[in-house]
């Protein structure tokens, strides 16, 4: 039987703390936004006690950050009816490699609903995604860094009409500080902000350095050189990671928040292209350490990071709590959801990325606008967010944020 109209169903919550975690971010710092009362989010750890026992693993690196079997959201907002079977055409996207696993899940789920739309996505990095979108090569971009003010101005010429492009946060995930130290047999290291900054600034060069040893009593650290691995391509993950370093250790990390490490960052270390390249480089070299989307570090161990006097291992809920307390950037379009992330808050995992979908509010072609609107409606739906959580370990957006994103997505049209 041909289905002419499909309405996405609602499901009940299994993990309320994760589902509620972005509610406050929808209205923080923007008085013109809808008045939303955010549910209380429990801190990721008990601030009165250490988050991890240095002598024992804080997490099981082989297990995902979330339980894929558990429903991710508890929506009270109905997802709009979309005539998915009536959508046609091709959507070409590209950008953040951190979104790779989630994109595959979204393509599969959307493809079942809209078989007449073909979607391709090139994981060439956030910078390449934004460039490709702005020059018209991509219909949408994935980026771990929102469009800058200058890029938004450029988007007015790139898009139809006069409203330009907007940033829609559909993927929230911790950035893991992953390492390859077989001598530790899976034990999870504690790393202070100063130690993380010192390693990637090239000031801490051996694993038995006192800056690492002091935070890990009882752990026998090897006398082994550290090989810090960074992104060689223009990367939103790099921008988020270095934004964290700039805030927590400005005296050590003096390069600011950077996307292009090879051009703007410190010398030394090993560069690799894409998230998969960084993970492969860490796996290939004992003594290596790098930063990557936590969903893609495979069997690597990842550090518990110091924040507010405790050490916090990565988790989707602890990362989403950062977004919960962060305001939206002021002075932007009412449908733009760019965040000023707070990266030094106790009870959170501070190295977090918000990966955006960048789209035009107006497209030259109605069929294209309809396909973009349909795809993003699915991505923001409970089913779409659950698919990403199961496949990529990401934190699902809350009901309040979903309501506002759906309003923005519903405004996409031909101009």
């Amino acid at each position: 039987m041909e289905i002419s109209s499909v309405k996405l169903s609602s499901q009940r919550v299994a993990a309320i703390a994760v589902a509620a975690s972005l509610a406050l971010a929808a209205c923080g710092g923007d008085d013109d936004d809808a008045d939303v009362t955010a549910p209380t989010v429990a801190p990721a750890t008990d601030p009165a006690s250490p988050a991890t026992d240095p002598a024992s693993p804080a997490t099981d690196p082989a297990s995902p950050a979330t339980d894929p079997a558990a429903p991710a959201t508890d929506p009270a907002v109905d997802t709009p009816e979309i005539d998915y079977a009536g959508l046609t055409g091709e959507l070409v996207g590209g950008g953040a490699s951190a979104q790779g696993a989630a994109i595959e899940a979204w393509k599969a789920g959307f493809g079942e609903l809209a078989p007449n739309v073909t979607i391709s996505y090139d994981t060439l990095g956030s910078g390449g995604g934004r460039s490709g979108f702005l020059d018209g090569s991509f219909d949408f971009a994935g980026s771990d860094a929102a469009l800058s003010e200058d890029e938004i101005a450029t988007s007015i010429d790139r898009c139809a009409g006069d409203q330009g492009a907007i940033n829609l946060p559909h993927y929230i995930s911790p950035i893991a500080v992953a390492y390859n130290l077989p001598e530790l047999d899976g034990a999870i290291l504690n790393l202070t902000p100063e130690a993380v900054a010192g390693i990637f600034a090239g000031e801490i060069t051996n694993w038995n350095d006192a800056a690492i040893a002091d935070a890990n009593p009882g752990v026998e650290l090897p006398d082994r050189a550290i090989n810090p691995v960074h992104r060689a391509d223009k990367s939103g993950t790099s921008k988020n990671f270095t934004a964290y370093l700039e805030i927590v250790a400005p005296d050590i990390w003096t390069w600011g928040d950077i996307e292009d490490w090879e051009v703007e960052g410190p010398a030394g270390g090993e560069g690799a292209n894409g998230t998969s390249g960084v993970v492969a480089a860490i796996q290939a070299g004992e003594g290596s350490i790098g930063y990557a989307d936590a969903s893609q570090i495979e069997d690597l161990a990842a550090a518990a990071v110091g924040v507010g006097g405790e050490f916090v291992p990565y988790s989707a809920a602890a990362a989403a709590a950062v977004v919960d307390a962060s305001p939206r950037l002021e002075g932007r379009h009412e449908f733009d959801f760019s965040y000023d992330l707070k990266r030094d808050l106790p009870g959170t995992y501070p190295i977090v990325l918000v990966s955006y979908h960048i789209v035009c509010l107006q497209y030259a072609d109605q069929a294209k606008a309809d396909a973009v609107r349909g795809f993003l409606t699915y991505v923001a739906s409970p089913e779409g967010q659950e698919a990403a959580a199961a496949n990529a370990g990401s934190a699902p957006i809350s009901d309040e944020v979903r309501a506002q994103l759906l309003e923005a997505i519903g405004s996409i049209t031909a101009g």
Side-chain angles (χ1 to χ4, degrees):
M1 181 177 68
E2 181 178 353
I3 301 175
S4 61
S5 180
V6 179
K7 183 175 182 178
L8 298 177
S9 63
S10 298
Q11 299 186 29
R12 299 301 299 168
V13 124
I16 292 178
V18 178
S21 60
L22 290 180
L24 221 159
C27 54
D30 191 340
D31 294 337
D32 295 331
D33 294 336
D35 183 13
V36 179
T37 300
T40 300
V41 180
T45 58
D46 178 3
S49 60
T52 59
D53 177 0
S56 61
T59 58
D60 179 358
S63 64
T66 59
D67 178 5
T73 55
D74 182 18
V77 176
D78 288 334
T79 304
E81 289 189 2
I82 298 289
D83 179 15
Y84 285 102
L87 300 177
T88 60
E90 181 182 10
L91 294 181
V92 179
S97 57
Q99 283 192 33
I103 284 284
E104 291 306 309
W106 289 328
K107 285 168 58 179
F110 180 72
E112 293 180 0
L113 299 173
N116 298 317
V117 178
T118 301
I119 298 178
S120 60
Y121 185 86
D122 185 358
T123 55
L124 75 169
S126 296
R130 296 197 309 280
S131 297
F133 172 78
L134 292 172
D135 69 20
S137 300
F138 297 148
D139 300 312
F140 71 96
S143 178
D144 302 339
L147 290 175
S148 67
E149 294 290 349
D150 288 344
E151 288 171 328
I152 287 177
T154 301
S155 76
I156 294 175
D157 293 330
R158 177 263 184 266
C159 298
D162 60 0
Q163 297 189 70
I166 55 173
N167 302 280
L168 301 173
H170 283 144
Y171 182 83
I172 294 91
S173 180
I175 298 173
V177 181
Y179 53 87
N180 181 353
L181 286 176
E183 295 94 339
L184 300 188
D185 194 26
I188 301 304
L189 287 179
N190 294 330
L191 290 179
T192 65
E194 293 77 15
V196 178
I199 288 170
F200 286 91
E203 295 183 6
I204 298 175
T205 59
N206 196 292
W207 281 106
N208 64 6
D209 191 286
I212 302 174
D214 289 349
N216 295 276
V219 176
E220 187 173 348
L221 295 168
D223 181 9
R224 182 189 287 276
I226 297 174
N227 176 43
V229 181
H230 59 264
R231 287 283 289 270
D233 51 333
K234 195 173 182 180
S235 162
T237 306
S238 288
K239 187 174 180 66
N240 280 275
F241 180 67
T242 55
Y244 160 75
L245 296 179
E246 180 185 26
I247 289 172
V248 300
D251 293 337
I252 301 172
W253 184 261
T254 59
W255 293 269
D257 62 327
I258 58 175
E259 278 193 286
D260 194 336
W261 194 294
E262 298 289 323
V263 175
E264 304 170 82
E270 178 181 355
N273 288 325
T275 301
S276 60
V278 169
V279 171
I282 301 169
Q283 291 173 325
E286 294 182 0
S288 294
I289 184 171
Y291 56 92
D293 185 281
S295 69
Q296 298 184 51
I297 65 170
E298 301 179 14
D299 58 350
L300 290 170
V305 177
V307 56
E310 59 180 328
F311 291 95
V312 182
Y314 80 79
S315 72
V322 175
V323 185
D324 178 58
S326 299
R328 282 166 60 179
L329 293 178
E330 297 181 355
R332 300 221 168 181
H333 193 285
E334 64 174 315
F335 291 145
D336 186 90
F337 289 79
S338 308
Y339 292 106
D340 180 15
L341 296 176
K342 304 304 178 186
R343 302 180 182 275
D344 55 358
L345 304 175
T348 69
Y349 182 80
I351 318 177
V352 59
L353 66 83
V354 175
S355 202
Y356 300 90
H357 284 147
I358 298 169
V359 295
C360 293
L361 275 166
Q362 293 175 295
Y363 287 85
D365 178 73
Q366 186 66 58
K368 183 77 69 179
D370 291 344
V372 170
R373 187 171 61 250
F375 176 58
L376 295 184
T377 297
Y378 169 74
V379 168
S381 73
E383 289 79 3
Q385 289 294 297
E386 288 168 12
N391 209 44
S394 57
I397 59 178
S398 71
D399 180 50
E400 288 80 2
V401 170
R402 181 183 304 107
Q404 296 186 46
L405 289 181
L406 288 174
E407 182 182 2
I409 293 167
S411 70
I412 297 171
T413 186

